[in-house]
Amino acid sequence: MSRLLGLRRKPRCFYCQHVLENAPLDPFNFECPSCTSMNHYDRETGEIRSSEPAMYDVQANSSSYARRATPDKATIPTGREQSVFCRECTVNQTLVMNMLANYLPAPSDPNYEALLATFPEYKASLETRYPLVCERCVPLVEQKLLSKEQMARAKALGGWLNASSKHTGVRRPGIASRTPSIVRPPRERPWQIYLWALQGLLYAITTGWITISYFYGMSWKRSPPIRPPHPIFIVFSLLWTFWNRVWLHANRKRAHGLAIRVDSQKDSMRIQFLIWLSRLVMSALVSLWGGKVTEGTYGSFLAVEVA
């Protein structure tokens, strides 16, 4: 079967893989017109069977291996980047790689340690006999390395600028921000400022009223002149209890492109909620028992208020 297939297909050189367009007189014994190598195939199996010097002498295959590195003109070119190495460099690199891969035996081999010790010398000798880069390719390789290094530096600089712009909130010229609403928020409206100021005023009045009433409760047990607010007022005070005193300042800084971060805002809201809860409890106690609330109770809730 292989014989029939071999007769139907065009002969191919075993050494340089060149396809003979003109069929030779004997397809099992012919000389390659490309690399001048003799090809002797077995007529029964179709396998190469000759014993030519090129089969065991590396130097005899230098021209054939160099032709293997030549791209096939019949193939469609790809979009991959063209190599800067010539055919001789490509062949030498392939030879060195294969010979190094086959140099060391398995770790269980008794000669493994000895061969491992001589591996650096063997590698140096191979690179001397088969230079990985010839003198003609050195300028191209250096130019390629320089362009890759410049590309890597530009990419690293671009990544650093993008990272720094995200942290500082400053937008670079000519580059659109991915989060413009976060980096440059719109300025606050007048009604927002008035509402924020009203909340601050009510927060200050409520805090002062409750603190003074606690002081009077410690002094005048029976009928203090200033009593704590009614529980209904305490419930409504929840609207301004969580007033953020730094909101206006931070929002204006962000509008100018500065990154402002308010730390411990969640902890502050938890504390304000606990204070509001203590005010509600104290207001309920005063509303239910009035003068029966002791001075110690006023003192305990005052400590929570000023803590």
Side-chain angles (χ1 to χ4, degrees):
M1 186 66 183
S2 60
R3 180 179 177 179
L4 294 176
L5 292 177
L7 291 174
R8 293 177 182 176
R9 295 182 300 179
K10 292 183 178 181
R12 180 187 299 270
C13 178
F14 177 79
Y15 304 100
C16 69
Q17 300 298 309
H18 174 70
V19 179
L20 280 68
E21 297 295 335
N22 299 323
L25 297 178
D26 188 356
F28 296 98
N29 295 279
F30 60 88
E31 181 182 358
C32 177
S34 179
C35 66
T36 67
S37 298
M38 291 301 300
N39 291 258
H40 301 286
Y41 289 94
D42 188 273
R43 295 181 180 274
E44 298 296 333
T45 62
E47 302 292 337
I48 194 76
R49 65 176 180 84
S50 59
S51 179
E52 300 292 336
M55 295 182 179
Y56 48 83
D57 188 2
V58 177
Q59 298 296 334
N61 289 299
S62 58
S63 60
S64 301
Y65 286 156
R67 292 182 180 275
R68 284 193 177 190
T70 306
D72 190 358
K73 296 181 180 179
T75 58
I76 299 176
T78 61
R80 293 182 297 178
E81 188 176 3
Q82 187 177 3
S83 175
V84 296
F85 298 103
C86 64
R87 291 179 297 177
E88 182 179 355
C89 293
T90 305
V91 171
N92 290 345
Q93 294 169 8
T94 304
L95 287 175
V96 171
M97 179 181 65
N98 292 334
M99 296 176 74
L100 289 178
N102 298 324
Y103 179 71
L104 292 176
S108 59
D109 192 281
N111 299 326
Y112 177 79
E113 296 296 336
L115 293 176
L116 181 61
T118 59
F119 182 80
E121 299 178 0
Y122 178 71
K123 180 180 179 182
S125 65
L126 289 180
E127 293 177 353
T128 303
R129 286 184 292 172
Y130 310 105
L132 301 180
V133 183
C134 64
E135 296 181 356
R136 294 173 298 177
C137 295
V138 168
L140 297 176
V141 173
E142 291 180 350
Q143 183 180 1
K144 193 68 175 180
L145 291 176
L146 181 60
S147 62
K148 292 294 184 180
E149 183 180 0
Q150 292 176 352
M151 186 185 302
R153 288 182 178 178
K155 187 175 181 180
L157 180 61
W160 178 81
L161 291 176
N162 289 333
S164 61
S165 63
K166 290 180 181 179
H167 289 292
T168 58
V170 180
R171 189 183 304 173
R172 288 191 292 160
I175 299 180
S177 175
R178 295 183 180 180
T179 54
S181 61
I182 299 178
V183 177
R184 294 281 184 112
R187 294 183 62 87
E188 63 281 348
R189 297 181 180 180
W191 67 268
Q192 293 177 327
I193 299 178
Y194 297 148
L195 180 60
W196 173 81
L198 178 61
Q199 288 179 338
L201 179 62
L202 293 175
Y203 179 86
I205 292 176
T206 304
T207 303
W209 180 3
I210 293 176
T211 304
I212 295 174
S213 66
Y214 287 174
F215 272 112
Y216 276 109
M218 295 174 60
S219 302
W220 288 276
K221 176 181 177 182
R222 297 300 179 184
S223 57
I226 300 179
R227 298 172 63 87
H230 195 272
I232 298 179
F233 179 86
I234 298 298
V235 172
F236 278 104
S237 69
L238 192 62
L239 298 175
W240 57 82
T241 298
F242 303 100
W243 174 67
N244 187 1
R245 60 178 63 88
V246 299
W247 171 80
L248 183 61
H249 175 74
N251 199 47
R252 288 183 175 178
K253 290 295 183 181
R254 293 192 185 100
H256 287 84
L258 299 178
I260 300 297
R261 185 179 63 181
V262 181
D263 295 328
S264 304
Q265 187 173 4
K266 293 183 179 180
D267 296 336
S268 177
M269 294 181 65
R270 294 191 187 99
I271 295 174
Q272 291 297 334
F273 178 77
L274 292 177
I275 293 176
W276 175 85
L277 193 61
S278 68
R279 292 175 179 177
L280 182 62
V281 172
M282 186 62 185
S283 177
L285 291 177
V286 174
S287 299
L288 293 176
W289 286 286
K292 296 181 180 180
V293 180
T294 61
E295 298 176 358
T297 304
Y298 278 104
S300 299
F301 280 89
L302 178 62
V304 175
E305 188 71 24
V306 302

